[in-house]
Amino acid sequence: MTDKVQFGIRVPEFPLDDLRGAAFRDQLFGYLDATHAPYASAWVADHFFPWFSSVDQSVDTLEAMTSIAYLAARYPSLRWGSIVLSQGYRQPALLAKMAATLQTLSGGRFILGIGAGWKENEYKAYGYPYPSTGTRLAQLAEAVQVIRAMWQEDQPSFEGKYYQIKDAYCMPRPNPLPPLLIGGGGRQKTLRIVAQYADWWNVPGTPVEEYASLLQTLREHCLAVGRNYDEITKTWLTDCLAIAPSTSAAEKQAQAAPLCGNGGITGNPDEVAAHIQRFVDLGVTHFMLRFADYPSPAGALLFAKEVMPRFR
């Protein structure tokens, strides 16, 4: 695990205005063109229509893996990650092969984020079975074992309850191996899977106090399974970072942003940096940030200028 604090930018996968098709694409490209340079990574969510229920579910929504493949080529200075893929949407052997290919073609810039999946209406709309939470978590535990085997074994085979492979060659092997990020905050099962299999862990939007409590649970699972807790990179994501030169301007920005209803960070650079520092003090070394003033680049650029240097 690196101790260096890094910052990634969340890539909107659906518009928050009336743009469609090429207009939304061009808005997204313009935003990333203006903002990407100071950031270490970029992150794309895995949904087929908007995860935010207050948004019209029929608006244009970009698929995660094809978006990452294209954008990784367009913006070669960034590492690209999925935040997070639903294990139920892509058979894990195929996903392992896709990730290996993307890692090879990108020169080692892919981070595979995966989770149990949660959006029931999306599953059913696309014809996927939507089993119980316990079953989806058991599938996740098997899926990450399949992926690891595909990446690391010459002639991988796996016989699980939900997933099976036999002599599933995966060449070229990814080199280096993509970090395997597991997302979720379930204390009994998800965090145990993180302790067993994850290189990175992410939970979105959790307040500092709750995050600290989750870390303690993760420590306990690591102890139980014999895993070094410090090997796991801790990350944190927000879909609302409202930053402006003054507190009042940042608050107005947050009030106007639809995704800020779920909480986040709001303030001037000093206030935002202080909030980030609280997570850093807990051991977080990578942040995924969605700025409230999108499509304006002002917030992302102000953060890069006034906040990032404090964590170098």
Side-chain angles (χ1 to χ4, degrees):
M1 182 185 76
T2 178
D3 290 327
K4 182 181 178 182
V5 177
Q6 295 187 323
F7 298 95
I9 195 163
R10 276 277 282 113
V11 177
E13 66 278 5
F14 57 85
L16 294 173
D17 46 32
D18 294 328
L19 295 184
R20 297 270 180 168
F24 172 48
R25 177 202 65 194
D26 292 345
Q27 179 193 78
L28 179 59
F29 289 170
Y31 182 75
L32 290 174
D33 288 348
T35 61
H36 78 278
Y39 288 85
S41 63
W43 300 84
V44 180
D46 186 29
H47 289 290
F48 305 140
F49 40 84
W51 56 267
F52 194 58
S53 59
S54 297
V55 174
D56 178 2
Q57 298 288 280
S58 71
V59 303
D60 290 4
T61 304
L62 302 177
E63 190 276 329
M65 288 297 284
T66 45
S67 297
I68 291 170
Y70 181 88
L71 293 170
R74 185 179 174 99
Y75 302 99
S77 67
L78 296 173
R79 300 178 78 184
W80 285 84
S82 51
I83 192 74
V84 292
L85 301 176
S86 169
Q87 60 79 30
Y89 292 165
R90 301 164 191 84
Q91 201 271 359
L94 172 62
L95 178 58
K97 181 64 174 178
M98 295 166 68
T101 300
L102 182 53
Q103 184 75 334
T104 298
L105 295 179
S106 70
R109 292 185 292 117
F110 183 52
I111 301 160
L112 178 58
I114 192 168
W118 62 271
K119 199 168 191 296
E120 181 176 2
N121 64 339
E122 190 172 69
Y123 269 77
K124 292 181 176 178
Y126 273 69
Y128 293 107
Y130 187 74
S132 69
T133 301
T135 296
R136 283 180 282 116
L137 286 165
Q139 290 172 333
L140 172 63
E142 289 192 6
V144 295
Q145 293 176 75
V146 169
I147 291 166
R148 289 259 189 232
M150 293 281 291
W151 288 349
Q152 295 178 283
E153 297 178 14
D154 291 334
Q155 200 168 333
S157 297
F158 179 85
E159 186 67 31
K161 181 177 180 180
Y162 304 101
Y163 297 122
Q164 302 83 36
I165 57 172
K166 183 173 175 58
D167 300 337
Y169 302 103
C170 185
M171 299 295 179
R173 278 194 192 162
N175 184 25
L177 295 179
L180 185 59
L181 178 152
I182 295 177
R187 292 177 182 270
Q188 293 185 355
K189 295 182 178 180
T190 302
L191 290 181
R192 190 173 185 86
I193 296 170
V194 172
Q196 290 174 300
Y197 303 114
D199 300 307
W200 293 26
W201 170 60
N202 178 262
V203 63
T206 306
V208 173
E209 295 79 8
E210 176 66 11
Y211 194 95
S213 178
L214 290 171
L215 286 178
Q216 180 57 37
T217 302
L218 179 59
R219 282 182 182 275
E220 293 167 1
H221 283 300
C222 286
L223 182 63
V225 302
R227 178 76 185 280
N228 182 350
Y229 167 87
D230 292 327
E231 289 179 352
I232 301 171
T233 296
K234 287 78 176 178
T235 73
W236 185 78
L237 176 150
T238 182
D239 276 304
C240 175
L241 198 159
I243 183 171
S246 70
T247 304
S248 60
E251 289 173 346
K252 289 179 181 178
Q253 189 184 108
Q255 291 167 4
L259 300 183
C260 285
N262 291 336
I265 301 176
T266 300
N268 63 40
D270 289 339
E271 292 166 330
V272 169
H275 200 117
I276 293 286
Q277 185 64 54
R278 295 178 69 194
F279 284 101
V280 172
D281 291 343
L282 293 175
V284 176
T285 56
H286 207 108
F287 293 83
M288 300 83 159
L289 307 173
R290 185 168 186 158
F291 291 90
D293 61 346
Y294 175 88
S296 168
L301 294 176
L302 179 62
F303 182 90
K305 179 181 179 181
E306 298 291 340
V307 178
M308 276 191 201
R310 308 183 195 204
F311 297 94
R312 289 175 184 155

